[in-house]
Amino acid sequence: MINVASGVTSEQISTLAVFIQESWGQANITSMLAPQANRVMAVKEWEERWQEDRIGFHQPHVHKMLEDNIDKVIAGRTGVRFFFPLCGKAVDMKWLADMGHSVVGVEISEKAIKQFYEENNMTYSEESIPAIPGAKVYKSSERNISLYQCDLFNFSSSIDGQFGGIWDRGSLVAINPRDREKYAALITSLMAKDCRYLLDTLLYNPELYAGPPFLVPNEQVHGLFGNSCDIELLQSVDALTDRQRAWGLDYLTENVHLITPKSKN
């Protein structure tokens, strides 16, 4: 019912209702993320994990969700430029390069990059990056693969352009929760107009495990990318294994999203 005497219109009431709903939704997300909100992993800690071979996150085979959804990412294109944030030594990179696509990855660990090339019997060259002091790029001699050893947040499109594809497995879920807005801004800046960004996220009870990998609710994916991109949930699977049970988890859902830039009229 509209209170005519107060001069409140139905449009104003509708706007207020949307505001209340959005505020409640944001408060709900904030509450959900609270247990991990202040969790911080220093870059040096990730380097130490590689040095000590504490890399349970590495998969020795191509990720099933990438295999299942690759056609939606390629979308009939050839020679797609793929970006791998926090790439580690993911075998997915060679898999895509073997299809004729090019790959650019960013990884802080020199050991991870060198192991990728050595374990795949590939030779590589090494160059410094003048725009990023202390950084190097390792380029494959046999495949179109370039891996940058640097802090991800020091990378930008001015270093190696934009990309038509992104495979984000173990990156958004690994960065510190407080850096997610900065991360989303970086990823968005790296997306070409035809980019198709495949994002892998995890859902679990953060009261039971501090992370990483961290909880990233679907609502936050929309909050991070929804203003500039269309988002489609492609797949959702039960991913709980004995490894996660050992963390204390009682459920683990793995989601994969397809994120594409909104067309600008």
Side-chain angles (χ1 to χ4, degrees), residues 20-223:
I20 292 171
Q21 185 176 20
E22 289 179 348
S23 298
W24 181 87
Q26 186 57 49
N28 191 39
I29 294 173
T30 301
S31 174
M32 198 185 308
L33 297 174
Q36 296 178 339
N38 297 315
R39 178 85 165 91
V40 173
M41 277 276 291
V43 169
K44 186 178 179 182
E45 292 180 73
W46 286 110
E47 290 185 280
E48 288 172 353
R49 286 194 177 198
W50 279 101
Q51 288 301 325
E52 297 166 7
D53 289 322
R54 291 187 293 121
I55 53 170
F57 47 83
H58 173 70
Q59 292 192 357
H61 49 77
V62 176
H63 197 284
K64 180 120 181 12
M65 282 190 160
L66 178 61
E67 285 185 318
D68 289 348
N69 296 286
I70 189 61
D71 288 345
K72 293 185 178 73
V73 181
I74 299 299
R77 298 173 296 170
T78 57
V80 177
R81 295 190 77 231
F82 271 91
F83 181 62
F84 276 65
L86 306 186
C87 62
K89 57 177 181 178
V91 297
D92 308 6
M93 295 189 288
K94 183 176 183 296
W95 185 67
L96 287 169
D98 285 347
M99 292 182 189
H101 306 296
S102 59
V103 171
V104 171
V106 173
E107 170 58 47
I108 195 61
S109 170
E110 181 181 45
K111 182 177 180 179
I113 292 172
K114 289 184 174 180
Q115 282 187 345
F116 168 77
Y117 287 123
E118 290 161 4
E119 290 173 7
N120 288 289
N121 299 311
M122 299 165 72
T123 56
Y124 59 88
S125 62
E126 181 181 325
E127 301 171 21
S128 60
I129 310 298
I132 309 176
K136 296 178 183 178
V137 60
Y138 298 79
K139 296 183 178 181
S140 165
S141 307
E142 295 87 5
R143 295 286 185 276
N144 200 348
I145 301 175
S146 298
L147 304 183
Y148 288 81
Q149 186 211 350
C150 64
D151 186 316
L152 179 64
F153 290 117
N154 289 334
F155 189 81
S156 68
S157 59
S158 67
I159 303 296
D160 206 333
Q162 293 182 312
F163 301 92
I166 300 174
W167 172 221
D168 185 332
R169 183 262 163 185
S171 186
L172 177 59
V173 299
I175 64 158
N176 297 324
R178 68 184 186 187
D179 292 331
R180 285 180 186 165
E181 286 76 15
K182 182 167 68 167
Y183 179 89
L186 171 62
I187 294 296
T188 302
S189 74
L190 295 173
M191 297 173 74
K193 291 179 181 178
D194 66 342
C195 185
R196 300 178 74 78
Y197 169 27
L198 198 64
L199 169 65
D200 187 64
T201 59
L202 301 172
L203 303 178
Y204 61 84
N205 182 354
E207 299 278 0
L208 301 178
Y209 180 63
F214 298 109
L215 163 76
V216 180
N218 294 349
E219 296 88 344
Q220 191 174 40
V221 173
H222 283 264

Side-chain angles (χ1 to χ4, degrees), residues 6-21:
S6 68
V8 178
T9 66
S10 58
E11 184 179 350
Q12 287 172 320
I13 291 174
S14 177
T15 301
L16 179 62
V18 169
F19 172 77
I20 292 171
Q21 185 176 20

